[in-house]
């Protein structure tokens, strides 16, 4: 037996040394794998920057692998396999939703995956101003999200669509509520119409009792409100303009509202001529008594309230534009004629003064 001297170091048995080496190799491998996995996790959640926003359309029925390939093709992922693995680990494999998505200029791959899982499709903020006609609204939607303008107008004018939505009207003109909307890029025409009439439904439900107390339907209120909207530039005049029309309706007078003639003729920017007033359209309130068949534009809330609550105690039947957005209101035709002559004279004097100033006289 070999004697151990003081300078000798203890040695591990061969079996113990082999076990130690295996454990060390195992720990190294595990460490490398953890670092590798951590690197992928960091890359997956790290924010990236691109110069331009990217729009991608995910069709129905695509597998996770196909979606990852589509994302790679537009630069939204640099590692499709990593995207697929993350989707499966998080349990999102069967929960990615089809639609149009938009990303950038800063995003992470985790942002992309989360958006697809939640169905956070791309949207545009679209504003429909008060007083816009249906055809103008169609143009706005076409410019904002590429919606088919002709299909939109076909739906607006389709009696079957109007009836299905529960309205008794010749079209949806005037029922598309002015507001700012979040419009999805892949929104259908039907969905857009449903979205814009929702506010009108609420208004009709809330104010129907008031309309009935006036002896009117909400359709008639919307029609009158659309005329007020087309006439008024300042809120302070809306209830007064409404009162004039209410007075005329109560006295079985013709409304003689220029905006209805413009709507009938399809001319909105040029001056009306006497020949226009002879148009036989039911929207010509110079020829027909009472309200036209329906609204001529989409009135805002201020005009709807004015139609429902005209200025109390008002006995005026006429008003004429002053040329600055305001109006002169009168009770009798004689006063109205005098006001028109005065305004015409003042306009002529201003024009002559402007000409003299331009000529340096």
């Amino acid at each position: 037996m070999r004697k151990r001297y003081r300078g000798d170091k203890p040695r591990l048995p061969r079996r113990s040394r082999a076990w130690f080496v295996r454990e060390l190799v195992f720990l190294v491998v595990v460490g490398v794998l953890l670092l590798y996995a951590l690197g992928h996790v960091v890359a997956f959640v790290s924010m990236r920057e691109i110069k331009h926003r990217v729009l991608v359309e995910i069709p129905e029925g695509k597998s996770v692998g196909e979606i990852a390939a589509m994302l790679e093709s537009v630069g939204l992922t640099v590692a499709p396999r990593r995207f697929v693995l993350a989707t499966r680990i998080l349990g999102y494999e069967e929960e990615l939703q089809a639609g149009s998505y938009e990303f950038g200029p800063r995003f992470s791959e985790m942002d992309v995956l989360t958006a697809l899982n939640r169905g956070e499709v791309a949207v545009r903020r679209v504003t429909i101003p008060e007083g816009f006609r249906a055809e103008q609204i169609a143009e706005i939607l076409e410019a904002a999200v590429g919606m088919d303008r002709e299909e939109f107008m076909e739906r607006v004018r389709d009696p079957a669509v109007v009836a299905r939505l529960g309205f008794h009207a010749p079209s949806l003109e005037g029922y598309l509520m002015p507001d700012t909307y979040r419009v999805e890029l892949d929104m259908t025409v039907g969905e857009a119409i449903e979205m814009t009439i929702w506010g009108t439904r609420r208004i009709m439900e809330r104010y129907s009792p008031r309309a009935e107390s006036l002896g009117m339907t909400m359709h008639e209120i919307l029609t009158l409100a659309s005329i007020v909207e087309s006439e008024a530039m300042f809120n302070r005049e809306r209830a007064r303009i409404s009162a004039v029309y209410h007075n005329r309706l109560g006295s079985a007078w013709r409304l003689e509202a220029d905006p209805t003639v413009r709507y009938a003729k399809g001319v909105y920017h040029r001056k009306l001529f006497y020949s226009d007033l002879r148009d036989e359209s039911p929207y010509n309130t110079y020829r027909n008594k009472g309200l036209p068949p329906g609204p001529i534009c989409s009135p805002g809330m201020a005009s709807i309230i004015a139609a429902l609550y005209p200025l109390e105690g008002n006995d005026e039947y006429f008003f004429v534009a002053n040329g600055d957005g305001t109006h002169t209101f009168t009770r009798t035709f004689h006063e109205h004629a005098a006001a028109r002559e005065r305004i015409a004279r003042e306009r002529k004097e201003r024009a002559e003064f402007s000409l003299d100033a331009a000529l340096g006289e």
Side-chain angles (χ1 to χ4, degrees):
M1 181 176 181
R2 182 178 180 272
K3 295 183 179 180
R4 178 179 294 179
Y5 294 95
R6 186 173 299 176
D8 289 348
K9 295 180 180 179
R11 296 182 179 181
L12 292 172
R14 290 184 177 180
R15 184 174 299 177
S16 298
R17 289 201 301 270
W19 175 85
F20 176 76
V21 171
R22 287 198 301 270
E23 289 296 314
L24 181 61
V25 170
F26 175 77
L27 290 175
V28 169
V29 171
V30 170
V32 170
L33 291 175
L34 287 174
L35 288 174
Y36 178 77
L38 181 61
H40 275 282
V41 170
V42 171
F44 195 72
V45 300
S46 295
M47 300 302 294
R48 297 169 50 199
E49 292 191 8
I50 53 178
K51 292 183 179 179
H52 306 289
R53 296 182 68 84
V54 174
L55 182 67
V56 59
E57 178 73 28
I58 305 298
E60 291 278 0
K62 291 294 182 180
S63 67
V64 176
E66 290 172 323
I67 292 173
M70 294 176 65
L71 296 176
E72 182 187 29
S73 68
V74 294
L76 293 176
T77 181
V78 294
R81 291 182 180 179
R82 181 175 65 204
F83 186 90
V84 172
L85 181 61
T87 303
R88 290 172 176 166
I89 290 174
L90 293 172
Y92 292 168
E93 189 171 5
E94 302 298 328
E95 299 178 7
L96 300 187
Q97 301 182 42
S100 298
Y101 296 86
E102 190 173 30
F103 303 96
R106 299 185 76 246
F107 69 97
S108 69
E109 291 184 49
M110 186 65 196
D111 291 335
V112 176
L113 178 56
T114 301
L116 267 62
N117 172 250
R118 296 177 179 175
E120 296 173 351
V121 295
V123 298
R124 294 286 185 271
R125 291 179 64 84
V126 178
T127 298
I128 298 176
E130 292 87 349
F132 266 42
R133 304 180 305 279
E135 60 189 36
Q136 291 175 296
I137 295 171
E139 291 171 359
I140 289 176
L141 291 171
E142 182 179 60
V145 297
M147 191 166 291
D148 191 312
R149 177 174 49 182
E150 293 184 1
E151 181 185 353
F152 185 89
M153 289 308 300
E154 286 177 3
R155 295 284 189 92
V156 165
R157 294 168 177 158
D158 188 343
V161 172
V162 177
R164 180 175 56 80
L165 294 172
F167 298 127
H168 301 285
S171 74
L172 293 176
E173 184 78 83
Y175 285 78
L176 310 174
M177 191 68 185
D179 204 343
T180 297
Y181 298 94
R182 286 171 54 86
V183 183
E184 298 175 1
L185 294 190
D186 54 0
M187 179 175 282
T188 66
V189 169
E191 291 170 339
I193 289 175
E194 289 279 1
M195 175 186 68
T196 55
I197 66 172
W198 183 84
T200 305
R201 286 188 188 279
R202 295 293 300 273
I203 291 171
M204 293 177 73
E205 292 171 2
R206 179 177 180 181
Y207 290 104
S208 286
R210 172 60 184 175
E212 291 174 6
S213 72
L214 296 171
M216 301 175 72
T217 65
M218 278 305 297
H219 176 72
E220 291 172 327
I221 289 294
L222 288 177
T223 301
L224 178 56
S226 72
I227 299 174
V228 173
E229 186 70 59
S230 300
E231 295 277 21
M233 288 189 64
F234 298 98
N235 283 339
R236 66 177 183 269
E237 288 194 347
R238 294 184 193 276
R240 197 171 182 181
I241 291 173
S242 174
V244 169
Y245 286 130
H246 272 283
N247 290 340
R248 289 193 164 212
L249 289 170
S251 299
W253 285 26
R254 294 184 180 89
L255 294 185
E256 296 186 355
D258 287 359
T260 66
V261 180
R262 294 185 183 279
Y263 184 80
K265 297 291 293 184
V267 294
Y268 304 101
H269 305 293
R270 71 163 173 81
K271 180 181 178 180
L272 290 178
F273 302 106
Y274 285 111
S275 59
D276 296 322
L277 307 184
R278 294 193 293 269
D279 192 274
E280 295 185 0
S281 168
Y283 283 87
N284 183 355
T285 54
Y286 277 84
R287 289 181 61 91
N288 307 292
K289 291 183 179 181
L291 291 164
I296 59 174
C297 69
S298 289
M301 196 63 207
S303 291
I304 295 173
I305 293 298
L308 287 162
Y309 298 94
L311 185 64
E312 292 185 5
N314 181 281
D315 59 355
E316 295 163 335
Y317 282 78
F318 302 90
F319 62 88
V320 58
N322 294 321
D324 60 357
T326 64
H327 297 83
T328 295
F329 296 84
T330 51
R331 295 173 57 254
T332 68
F333 181 77
H334 178 73
E335 293 173 347
H336 177 62
R340 291 183 62 177
E341 289 179 8
R342 174 183 58 79
I343 292 170
R345 183 172 62 252
E346 291 174 353
R347 286 179 178 175
K348 182 178 180 182
E349 290 172 355
R350 285 196 297 270
E352 291 176 348
F353 177 80
S354 299
L355 180 61
D356 290 343
L359 295 175
E361 298 180 2

